[in-house]
Amino acid sequence: MKRLNYILVIIAIISVICAISLFNKEGYAINISSKNKELIKETLNGEIDNTDNITKIILGQGWNSGKLTIYHSFGKKETLYITEGMFKLGELEKYIKENGHNLDDIGFVLIGISSLITLYLLGYKYINKNKAKR
């Protein structure tokens, strides 16, 4: 049972680290699939060189407002900034806000999971401590 507890501690620590990194990104993420691939290609056609191998787009919020981070399949990353008058990118921004996942919400879920793991481990330790006294 101790091995399981060590694994749970590691999972809790990793989820807190991932949550903090998601909080720092501040934005909406959308994975590119067959449903939205054509819209993305049309919108970003004149803005970036290669629109074929895009895997994910993150639209920044808060301090990163207007920042569009585009991830390609082989680790390449490009950044665009949306300013007023960029109507095509404005449509993409609206689409990502409606259909994307809020990174802060994902971070809160990870914090919740790590809190549940911590509560379980504290309860397990308390129960074992009381059994040892008897």
Side-chain angles (χ1 to χ4, degrees), residues 10 20 33 35 62 72 74 78 87-88 90 115 120 124 130:
I10 291 170
I20 290 171
S33 64
K35 292 190 294 185
H72 294 274
F74 297 112
E78 293 184 64
F87 297 111
K88 279 186 162 183
S115 299
Y120 167 77
Y124 180 79
N130 285 341

Side-chain angles (χ1 to χ4, degrees), residues 36-47 51 88:
N36 56 14
K37 192 167 189 100
E38 287 303 315
L39 173 71
I40 302 298
K41 277 187 175 183
E42 289 174 14
T43 306
L44 297 176
N45 195 13
E47 303 293 330
T51 58
K88 279 186 162 183

